[in-house]
Amino acid sequence: MPASAGPRILVIRNDKLGDFMLAWPALALLRKNLPKARIAVLVPAYTAPLAEACPYVDEVVLDPRLKGAWRNGLALARALKPMRFDAVVTLFSRFDTGLGAWLAGIPLRYAPATKLAQLFYNRRIPQRRSRSEKPEYEYNLDLAAAYLREQGVAKPKPVAAPYLEFKSAEVQKLKRAFLKQHKIAAGKQLVFLHAGHGGSANNLSLGQYGHLARDLAGRKRHLVLTAGPAEEAQARRLSSLLEAPHTLLVSKDGLLPFAKHLAFADLFVSGSTGPLHLAAALDRPTAAFYPRRRSSTALRWQTVNGEGKRLAFMPPEGAEEGDMGSIDVAQAAVRIAKELL
């Protein structure tokens, strides 16, 4: 490596889409404060297209995803060792990735001081994420900042959304084509509604989404029901509940084309799920519904868009923490329309 080159850093966030999008502020912090660094991310194949589009990333490393923690860790070590990373910042600690980073001989190894996997790291950062005292993306930023301090960056330059951007001309061209294809009048506000979820948090019922959609529909708005490939049937059931004009958008071409469509949404509404965090990284206005359970609260999984562009709703005090049916979606719709549309 030439003497003038910056450090080679591997950032690990190899779980779900939403978790990966919440790593983007940490990636942006590293890039902004170490512009000469070579930054790589370890991700599963599912999120690799987005990782390749990330402006803060120079290299994408695929998680082997072999069965068995020891087996995957050994395979990962074989892949990482020739890359000669100077540091690894593990945002979510797992035994296999910790083993792989250690066996690969990466000198500086940062991770939360939690779980058995912390034994593989020589820079352990106490975080107590289980307490959910602040947003997930801030825990990620803390790990990146810890690495920066050791590199002599005591006060990192701050970062802010949007973390993902596409060329304006490209987005506008895609929007025009979308409006023409679905016979939507130009000038209408596009309200994207995503009823699906990955199962990691409680969600509204289809009936509640139907009520919400009917309240948000209007002469100046058009509803777009979004879904992943496995969520199409659910989106079609929601469609059957609606009389207002609406369009179905199923992400069948991968995450990157889906993200480009989200870039022209005037509002994105969903539960706590990956596409929500994708829309937020684009700095689109978002309204999200969360359970009150400590590990799943609106604070812990707060989106990364600007403060005035996000609303969060949870079951009221006194209700069961996972009782999403106790959320008054009619009141939520009034507030969403007033503050975000």
Side-chain angles (χ1 to χ4, degrees):
M1 185 171 65
S4 60
R8 292 178 59 86
I9 309 165
L10 174 66
V11 177
I12 296 180
R13 189 78 214 210
N14 55 338
D15 37 0
K16 295 183 178 181
L17 170 62
D19 303 293
F20 177 56
M21 298 314 301
L22 291 172
W24 285 46
L27 291 166
L29 191 75
L30 291 171
R31 170 58 68 214
K32 188 169 186 176
N33 289 278
L34 294 175
K36 293 184 179 181
R38 183 163 182 83
I39 301 173
V41 289
L42 176 73
V43 295
Y46 170 56
T47 56
L50 281 173
E52 290 166 356
C54 181
Y56 321 115
V57 169
D58 301 297
E59 190 172 3
V60 176
V61 183
L62 291 182
D63 186 341
R65 291 275 166 152
L66 302 180
K67 288 185 178 180
W70 282 96
R71 188 180 176 207
N72 198 62
L74 292 171
L76 186 58
R78 287 193 293 271
L80 296 180
K81 194 166 187 176
M83 298 179 183
R84 302 180 65 186
F85 289 109
D86 299 295
V88 58
V89 180
T90 299
L91 304 179
F92 179 72
S93 182
R94 285 192 343 210
F95 185 89
D96 57 342
T97 47
L99 175 65
W102 177 62
L103 290 176
I106 301 175
L108 297 177
R109 303 183 300 280
Y110 291 78
T114 183
K115 302 179 183 177
L116 180 62
Q118 68 176 295
L119 297 175
F120 296 120
Y121 295 91
N122 52 15
R123 301 293 190 277
R124 302 166 193 147
I125 313 303
Q127 293 197 315
R128 306 292 186 268
R129 293 194 188 201
S130 62
R131 296 179 182 174
S132 298
E133 294 173 335
K134 59 184 178 179
E136 180 76 3
Y137 75 84
E138 288 191 14
Y139 288 117
N140 295 336
L141 283 168
D142 289 346
L143 284 157
Y147 170 72
L148 289 172
R149 282 195 297 272
E150 193 160 347
Q151 300 305 301
V153 184
K155 294 183 178 180
K157 299 173 187 175
V159 294
Y163 295 101
L164 173 60
E165 292 183 274
F166 300 108
K167 292 181 180 178
S168 178
E170 180 184 12
V171 172
Q172 290 306 311
K173 181 179 179 180
L174 183 62
K175 180 179 180 180
R176 288 193 297 270
F178 181 81
L179 296 178
K180 182 178 180 181
Q181 178 185 354
H182 298 288
K183 298 180 173 58
I184 304 169
K188 284 206 170 187
Q189 292 179 309
L190 299 177
V191 177
F192 283 46
L193 192 68
H194 191 94
H197 67 111
S200 58
N202 298 48
N203 199 8
L204 299 180
S205 67
L206 276 184
Q208 286 176 296
Y209 274 118
H211 191 163
L212 190 64
R214 288 189 291 272
D215 285 355
L216 289 175
R219 185 170 54 85
K220 296 181 179 180
R221 301 175 194 148
H222 186 88
L223 299 172
V224 180
L225 308 183
T226 62
E231 300 165 334
E232 182 175 358
Q234 183 183 31
R236 291 193 180 280
R237 288 197 298 273
L238 176 58
S239 174
S240 70
L241 301 176
L242 304 180
E243 294 181 1
H246 59 277
T247 298
L248 189 64
L249 174 62
V250 182
S251 173
K252 292 184 176 179
D253 299 322
L255 286 175
L256 198 56
F258 182 58
K260 290 178 180 179
H261 281 82
L262 296 189
F264 59 74
D266 292 296
L267 172 67
F268 187 89
V269 182
S270 74
S272 181
T273 189
L276 168 71
H277 296 292
L278 180 53
L282 290 155
D283 207 26
R284 307 315 302 148
T286 60
F289 295 85
Y290 301 83
R292 193 174 285 281
R293 187 177 302 111
R294 179 186 290 183
S295 63
S296 308
T297 62
L299 174 61
R300 174 69 184 274
W301 299 103
Q302 181 177 292
T303 52
V304 299
N305 44 352
E307 186 175 350
K309 294 185 176 182
R310 59 177 184 256
L311 285 176
F313 302 91
M314 293 192 299
E317 292 285 351
E320 292 290 330
E321 59 184 19
D323 180 13
M324 303 298 282
S326 65
I327 296 176
D328 189 330
V329 293
Q331 287 186 4
V334 170
R335 189 176 170 201
I336 290 167
K338 181 181 180 180
E339 297 185 32
L340 296 179
L341 289 169

